[in-house]
Amino acid sequence: MDRLKNKVAIVTGGSSGIGRATVQLFAMEGARVAIGDVDAAGGEETARLARAAGGDVFFQRTDVSRASDADALVKAAVARWGALHVLHNNAYWAPTGLNVLNTTEEQWDRTQAVTLKSMYLMARAAIPEMLKAGSGSIVNMASVAGVVGSRNFSAYAAAKGGVVALTKSMATDFGKQGIRVNCIAPGPIATPAIAELRKDPQWLERQLNRLLLSDLGRPEDIAYAALYLACDESSFVTGLTMLVDGGATAH
Ligand SMILES: NC(=O)c1ccc[n+]([C@@H]2O[C@H](COP(=O)([O-])OP(=O)(O)OC[C@H]3O[C@@H](n4cnc5c(N)ncnc54)[C@H](O)[C@@H]3O)[C@@H](O)[C@H]2O)c1
């Protein structure tokens, strides 16, 4: 309890999956949390669940690939709570099952815009507020796919590789000013995003063969990593790519 007491946080992609679990955990640990997502029904439900558990949370419809939406979300959080300390860039969009031959340019561009450019837009809006607050923690969501590549997932893997590099670059640029920037690289996590893929026994077998543990991860496994990186317990950690992947990249 209270690991994020007196912190104001933004979580993007908080309407579902890992984002929803992270909003719940951040709120339980004392943060006030603004959720930005394009899915209003899911976002309102996440906010309702967090408030029912005593959290101070609101949802604002936000397309993270649009600069005006990114700016508006930061503005709304600061208007409500007076400061911003934590930004968790978690939203993504990407088509599955495509290599570079069958990915359209539109799919490529949208993947980069929602999954990578959004992190620049959100950080650009958030960092001035963190500088005013005197410190900040940015937690970007990467993926194992951005560290070792991924079959039939080229646009996504390229965007996530960009997230890893962006994280290190921002950590370099802002560390001396009290802003830490880290990313998490999850392995396969049982969320709605992979619900369809999980129905394919071959896909599931391939995933389980890669893992050193016996099952896929849970959204909470990633939320706990985000909590550690967001809170002051990780005050000497920056520029890190934290693999939370069931050992997928250890062999
Ligand atoms: N599930 C996995 O196996 C896995 C593995 C590695 C990394 N990740 C990463 O974890 C993060 C969360 O994934 P998840 O599995 O919880 O997915 P999810 O599909 O459950 O949640 C993604 C959320 O992003 C939102 N979103 C989509 N486009 C948006 C936009 N333009 N603006 C704002 N929000 C938008 C969706 O509405 C949704 O709520 C992603 O960054 C994903 O790449 C997931």
Side-chain angles (χ1 to χ4, degrees):
M1 290 286 277
D2 290 347
R3 291 164 78 189
L4 288 173
K5 195 166 182 221
N6 299 324
K7 304 274 191 202
V8 174
I10 286 176
V11 177
T12 71
S15 298
S16 174
I18 293 167
R20 173 171 287 173
T22 305
V23 170
Q24 311 282 71
L25 186 60
F26 279 17
M28 228 170 71
E29 291 291 343
R32 286 159 288 178
V33 188
I35 307 164
D37 199 298
V38 285
D39 172 4
E44 293 295 359
E45 176 60 8
T46 302
R48 190 192 64 75
L49 290 167
R51 283 197 289 260
D56 189 359
V57 174
F58 76 89
F59 168 77
Q60 178 158 308
R61 193 190 179 283
T62 305
D63 178 345
V64 289
S65 67
R66 295 169 61 102
S68 54
D69 281 19
D71 291 347
L73 181 61
V74 169
K75 223 173 169 177
V78 173
R80 186 158 170 148
W81 293 310
L84 178 65
H85 309 99
V86 174
L87 168 62
H88 182 31
N89 280 319
N90 165 74
Y92 91 110
W93 182 87
T96 49
L98 301 178
N99 61 37
V100 290
L101 297 182
N102 49 22
T103 301
T104 66
E105 268 187 77
E106 201 215 350
Q107 287 170 323
W108 179 273
D109 288 346
R110 184 155 177 236
T111 301
Q112 306 314 316
V114 177
T115 307
L116 176 58
K117 182 185 172 190
S118 62
M119 301 207 180
Y120 143 70
L121 293 175
M122 288 300 307
R124 189 179 70 168
I127 287 172
E129 296 301 334
M130 293 177 171
L131 292 174
K132 277 187 224 162
S135 67
S137 174
I138 299 177
V139 183
N140 294 327
M141 192 60 85
S143 168
V144 160
V147 179
V148 295
S150 185
R151 187 191 303 268
N152 288 328
F153 220 6
S154 294
Y156 176 79
K160 293 300 190 180
V163 170
V164 172
L166 176 67
T167 297
K168 292 179 184 179
S169 299
M170 292 200 303
T172 305
D173 288 337
F174 297 104
K176 299 282 189 212
Q177 293 165 82
I179 297 176
R180 299 182 298 106
V181 189
N182 295 288
C183 66
I184 303 170
I189 308 298
T191 70
I194 62 165
E196 279 308 306
L197 289 170
R198 283 174 74 197
K199 290 180 192 158
D200 172 0
Q202 281 178 342
W203 180 89
L204 191 58
E205 194 187 339
R206 222 176 32 242
Q207 297 304 318
L208 292 174
N209 283 341
R210 288 165 64 207
L211 302 185
L212 301 182
L213 302 176
S214 53
D215 207 351
L216 304 186
R218 305 159 305 149
E220 296 75 20
D221 293 321
I222 305 305
Y224 280 115
L227 172 63
Y228 169 69
L229 293 173
C231 80
D232 294 339
E233 290 165 21
S234 60
S235 60
F236 199 53
V237 181
T238 196
L240 175 71
T241 302
M242 183 189 271
L243 288 155
V244 186
D245 67 352
T249 51
H251 59 119

